[in-house]
């Protein structure tokens, strides 16, 4: 069964500090991996999309890395801001050419930035 | 803003009732998918519509049904509501089956 496990479940850091969120998946074969940011009570917003051939992708202060061999991805946030407080969800697409029914969502990491 | 709008934003229903949630896709997007997200969980795929046809369904009972209209807007209908149906319901539109998803802000459904 395809699974996506995220860690930690929750994280509290001080404003200005860096942090790294982890995503491990068992989806195989694999097409792409996405990171989304979801503010409380709102819909997820795409941060990065990486194919199996990409190792890293940045979006401002967000940098995602991917190791397709170990089936691990990380999302690194640099110089955190209060607005970074949100849930971060990892989503993996299998290489099936299918639709959204193939997407496997993680449960997310709940990040709180304290002033 | 993603250009995907959902209505209503909040809804309170009682067990056994029926509900219809609406989603307006981003301009140019012909695919819409619906998700149920319980508190503290990741979104769970309900179904997807591509050019008015359902072309993928998750592990949800038949009382969850949907429609996609010629303008690619969509509806999610839930019959015989149960307490466990309380959740945030998200729709997402895209230009292809598993392309980049643009999510709406969701409808928070509470079943009492």
């Amino acid at each position: 069964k395809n699974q996506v496990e995220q860690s930690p479940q929750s994280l509290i850091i001080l404003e200005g500090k860096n942090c790294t969120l982890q995503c491990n998946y068992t989806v195989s074969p694999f097409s792409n991996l996405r990171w989304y940011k979801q503010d409380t009570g709102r819909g997820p917003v795409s941060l990065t999309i990486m194919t199996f051939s990409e190792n890293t992708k940045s979006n401002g202060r967000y940098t995602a890395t991917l190791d397709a061999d170990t089936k691990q991805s990380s999302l690194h946030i640099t110089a955190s801001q209060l607005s970074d407080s949100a849930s971060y969800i990892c989503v993996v697409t299998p290489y099936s050419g299918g639709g959204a029914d193939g997407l496997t969502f993680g449960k997310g990491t709940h990040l709180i930035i304290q002033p | 803003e993603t250009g995907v709008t959902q209505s209503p934003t909040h809804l309170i229903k009682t067990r056994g009732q029926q509900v219809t949630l609406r989603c307006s896709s981003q301009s140019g997007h012909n695919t819409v998918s619906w998700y149920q997200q319980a508190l503290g969980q990741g979104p769970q795929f309900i179904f997807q519509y591509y050019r008015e046809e359902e072309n993928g369904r998750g592990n949800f009972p038949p009382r969850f049904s949907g429609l996609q209209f010629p303008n690619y807007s969509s509806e999610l209908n839930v019959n015989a509501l149960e307490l466990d149906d309380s959740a945030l319901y998200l729709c997402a539109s895209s230009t292809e089956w598993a392309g980049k998803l643009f999510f709406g802000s969701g409808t928070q459904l509470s079943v009492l």
Side-chain angles (χ1 to χ4, degrees):
Chain A
K1 180 182 178 182
N2 291 335
Q3 287 187 314
V4 174
E5 299 288 340
Q6 292 189 243
S7 62
Q9 193 172 32
S10 61
L11 182 62
I12 302 174
I13 64 171
L14 293 175
E15 186 180 9
K17 298 295 186 182
N18 304 334
C19 67
T20 301
L21 315 180
Q22 300 290 342
C23 172
N24 296 338
Y25 61 93
T26 61
V27 179
S28 182
F30 158 87
S31 175
N32 64 65
L33 184 145
R34 318 170 188 208
W35 282 95
Y36 284 87
K37 177 187 179 187
Q38 184 176 23
D39 293 321
T40 301
R42 305 298 299 271
V45 175
S46 179
L47 293 175
T48 61
I49 300 178
M50 289 183 292
T51 66
F52 65 90
S53 61
E54 294 177 294
N55 298 119
T56 185
K57 182 161 282 189
S58 292
N59 178 0
R61 295 179 295 101
Y62 301 100
T63 299
T65 63
L66 174 64
D67 186 334
D69 291 330
T70 62
K71 296 184 171 57
Q72 294 180 325
S73 175
S74 65
L75 180 69
H76 187 73
I77 303 175
T78 304
S80 61
Q81 299 176 359
L82 297 178
S83 59
D84 293 331
S85 295
S87 287
Y88 292 82
I89 301 174
C90 174
V91 186
V92 178
T93 306
Y95 188 69
S96 63
D101 53 344
L103 300 180
T104 303
F105 288 77
K107 292 183 178 181
T109 291
H110 186 52
L111 177 64
I112 298 174
I113 311 298
Q114 288 187 337
Chain B
E1 294 298 324
T2 64
V4 179
T5 58
Q6 291 187 244
S7 62
T9 55
H10 295 83
L11 201 53
I12 299 175
K13 291 286 190 178
T14 56
R15 193 170 48 183
Q17 285 188 310
Q18 178 266 343
V19 68
T20 297
L21 311 182
R22 294 179 173 82
C23 173
S24 177
S25 301
Q26 183 163 315
S27 178
H29 288 186
N30 56 19
T31 303
V32 65
S33 49
W34 284 89
Y35 303 83
Q36 181 193 67
Q37 186 176 23
L39 193 63
Q41 302 293 313
Q44 297 293 314
F45 174 77
I46 302 175
F47 44 58
Q48 174 174 276
Y49 280 82
Y50 172 68
R51 294 186 175 179
E52 303 177 57
E53 299 265 343
E54 182 181 302
N55 71 345
R57 189 176 183 91
N59 189 26
F60 280 82
R63 58 189 186 84
F64 285 78
S65 63
L67 282 174
Q68 186 182 32
F69 300 100
N71 65 356
Y72 301 135
S73 64
S74 177
E75 284 183 357
L76 164 65
N77 298 291
V78 187
N79 294 321
L81 283 167
E82 300 177 0
L83 297 179
D84 285 348
D85 295 334
S86 295
L88 180 68
Y89 288 85
L90 297 163
C91 80
S93 71
S94 61
T95 56
E96 55 191 70
W97 283 13
K100 183 176 180 179
L101 298 177
F102 293 82
F103 284 89
S105 293
T107 293
Q108 185 66 53
L109 173 65
S110 298
V111 182
L112 306 179

